Amino acid sequence: MLDKLRDIEQRWLEMEQRAVQPDFYNDPAAASAMLRESKRLEPIVMAYRSYLRAEETCRDAQEMLSGAQDAEMKEFCREEFERGKREMETLRDELRILLLPRDPNDEKNVIVEIRGGVGGEESALFAHSLFRMYSMYAESKRWKLELLNYSETELGGVREADFMIVGDGAYSRLKYESGVHRVQRVPETESGGRVHTSTATVAVLPEVDETQVELRQEDIEMQVFRSSGAGGQHINKTSSAVRLIHKPSGIVVACQEERSQVQNRERCMQMLAAKLYEIEQSRVEGEITAQRRSQVGTGMRNERIRTYNFPQGRVTDHRVGLTLYRIDQIMDGDLDEIIDTLATAEQAEKLRADAE
């Protein structure tokens, strides 16, 4: 591990030196990629240097102890040695986590799809609640939300909502949200006060460059229609909305929120690329982990991942057995405790796999 850390520190130092060269920004794309890598490696380098300092503390304490004459000095040296040893153990664990293989998509923007599931109108109303929750979470992170496709019911529910969230590390946080979300509450349409159970599905896809997947124009059927969203002067006046059908896979994507047909088509191509990328990634991961796979962050859409129980004011994430009794704050976008717990569980699973 220490050899690997030395190599990482050397790589980081080289990038730091390159970043101050006058011609560094001549290639903006390469400069941006190098800065991202430097930012990713910096916590590892800082932890490694702290480890080396703790190691030096232990070494110095041992040398001082061998030459100490009085009992007070010997006790001081022993305490310094034990302190350095504890720091080394803590930093060693931290470095193991920092060196775990990273999801290459973690720093990407995301495309989120929300669909009403079982439960009729109540499921659509719950889908709207989830859309609001993610919108508020994105706002708390100062991420930008761009609406792609939005279809609502007469009562204000959501049949389907597709949107992109643009921000550093968006996928690393939101990837755990893929799956079936279940709600237990008294619907607005229920006169008898009975608690109903409904579901909505969430899919979180990393934004993908179209060059990462094979998209042949002859495989894509394009349809245009008039937008039916909630606003915009172009609504119902021009056929600016676009629907793309990928004939080999049967995948259908639509976008109606942009002002022009060209813009909507570009958005559709982004969504289609992301979906095809997800299918390929799932196939590869399935082959690699066919014998053993973690239940944290698997992103399977048929998994019931979380229950929102309004009468009891609780939210339970079934993957890690976490129950929180503050449903109002969570529905207002306070998701960090849930996401942090899921990320920690995923790290622990990776550490176990690494040790096997």
Side-chain angles (χ1 to χ4, degrees):
M1 184 174 78
L2 293 178
D3 288 341
K4 184 175 183 179
L5 288 166
R6 277 191 291 271
D7 291 342
I8 289 173
E9 182 185 37
Q10 183 59 39
R11 168 65 177 160
W12 183 77
L13 287 170
E14 290 171 358
M15 288 190 292
E16 289 291 289
Q17 293 169 359
R18 179 70 185 97
V20 298
Q21 298 302 311
D23 63 341
F24 179 66
Y25 288 99
N26 285 358
D27 185 341
S32 178
M34 185 173 289
L35 290 173
R36 284 196 302 271
E37 185 182 0
S38 177
K39 182 180 177 181
R40 180 179 66 81
L41 295 182
E42 185 173 7
I44 302 175
V45 173
M46 295 302 107
Y48 170 56
R49 290 178 173 179
S50 295
Y51 179 87
L52 293 180
R53 286 194 295 270
E55 188 178 49
E56 186 177 6
T57 296
C58 289
R59 189 165 51 248
D60 290 346
Q62 282 182 315
E63 290 178 2
M64 291 171 64
L65 181 61
S66 64
Q69 299 298 318
D70 60 273
E72 187 176 347
M73 179 57 111
K74 287 182 179 180
E75 181 60 24
F76 171 77
C77 292
R78 290 192 188 98
E79 288 178 358
E80 282 293 287
F81 177 79
E82 290 300 323
R83 182 177 66 83
K85 186 178 178 181
R86 286 193 300 271
E87 287 185 12
M88 286 178 66
E89 290 173 354
T90 300
L91 288 163
R92 191 180 291 114
D93 291 339
E94 182 181 335
L95 285 164
R96 284 197 186 102
I97 292 173
L98 288 170
L99 290 173
L100 286 173
R102 296 178 71 259
D103 187 330
N105 296 315
D106 272 354
E107 298 306 313
K108 292 184 177 180
N109 304 325
V110 297
I111 295 172
V112 182
E113 301 178 338
I114 301 175
R115 301 287 185 270
V118 176
E121 185 62 39
E122 169 60 9
S123 71
L125 291 169
F126 177 49
H128 178 270
S129 298
L130 292 177
F131 173 70
R132 176 181 176 274
M133 180 179 76
Y134 293 127
S135 299
M136 296 182 76
Y137 183 66
E139 185 178 356
S140 73
K141 296 294 182 185
R142 298 185 178 180
W143 294 337
K144 182 182 177 183
L145 188 148
E146 301 176 359
L147 200 58
L148 302 175
N149 188 40
Y150 191 88
S151 174
E152 60 185 12
T153 65
E154 292 181 359
L155 296 181
V158 168
R159 292 189 184 90
E160 54 185 42
D162 303 328
F163 52 97
M164 180 179 289
I165 293 180
V166 179
D168 290 340
Y171 186 76
S172 70
R173 302 295 289 172
L174 290 171
K175 62 183 177 181
Y176 304 106
E177 296 302 301
S178 284
V180 176
H181 295 243
R182 181 175 71 170
V183 64
Q184 295 171 328
R185 65 183 178 185
V186 179
E188 297 177 16
T189 54
E190 171 59 53
S191 58
R194 293 176 300 164
V195 174
H196 285 223
T197 298
S198 304
T199 64
T201 61
V202 176
V204 180
L205 314 173
E207 182 186 18
V208 176
D209 190 310
E210 290 177 32
T211 60
Q212 292 181 255
V213 295
E214 184 181 1
L215 284 174
R216 301 190 306 169
Q217 292 304 315
E218 58 266 32
D219 291 338
I220 300 171
E221 177 185 340
M222 176 175 164
Q223 300 175 350
V224 296
F225 57 99
R226 291 187 176 182
S227 299
S228 58
Q233 294 182 358
H234 64 299
I235 299 296
N236 291 324
K237 291 186 178 180
T238 61
S239 296
S240 60
V242 171
R243 182 185 297 110
L244 296 183
I245 303 170
H246 187 249
K247 290 181 280 189
S249 65
I251 292 173
V252 180
V253 294
C255 182
Q256 60 179 332
E257 300 301 323
E258 298 292 348
R259 300 288 300 178
S260 73
Q261 187 182 112
V262 171
Q263 290 172 315
N264 280 322
R265 187 183 185 282
E266 288 177 357
R267 289 296 197 185
C268 279
M269 290 295 285
Q270 285 181 308
M271 295 165 69
L272 181 57
K275 283 176 174 285
L276 291 172
Y277 179 81
E278 181 200 32
I279 291 172
E280 179 60 19
Q281 288 293 103
S282 297
R283 184 190 67 78
V284 172
E285 289 171 8
E287 291 176 357
I288 295 173
T289 60
Q291 301 302 317
R292 184 190 59 79
R293 69 192 274 258
S294 167
Q295 289 303 305
V296 176
T298 56
M300 297 298 291
R301 296 187 203 179
N302 60 347
E303 292 176 358
R304 188 191 70 193
I305 64 168
R306 195 175 300 149
T307 294
Y308 306 75
N309 186 298
F310 279 80
Q312 297 178 19
R314 64 174 168 83
V315 175
T316 299
D317 195 289
H318 304 290
R319 294 164 291 182
V320 288
L322 175 68
T323 296
L324 301 174
Y325 287 89
R326 48 186 193 86
I327 194 168
D328 290 341
Q329 294 94 319
I330 290 169
M331 297 310 295
D332 283 343
D334 187 2
L335 293 170
D336 276 334
E337 185 173 357
I338 296 175
I339 291 173
D340 287 343
T341 303
L342 289 163
T344 300
E346 183 181 44
Q347 288 174 348
E349 176 64 26
K350 287 181 177 178
L351 284 170
R352 283 194 294 269
D354 194 49
E356 289 178 358

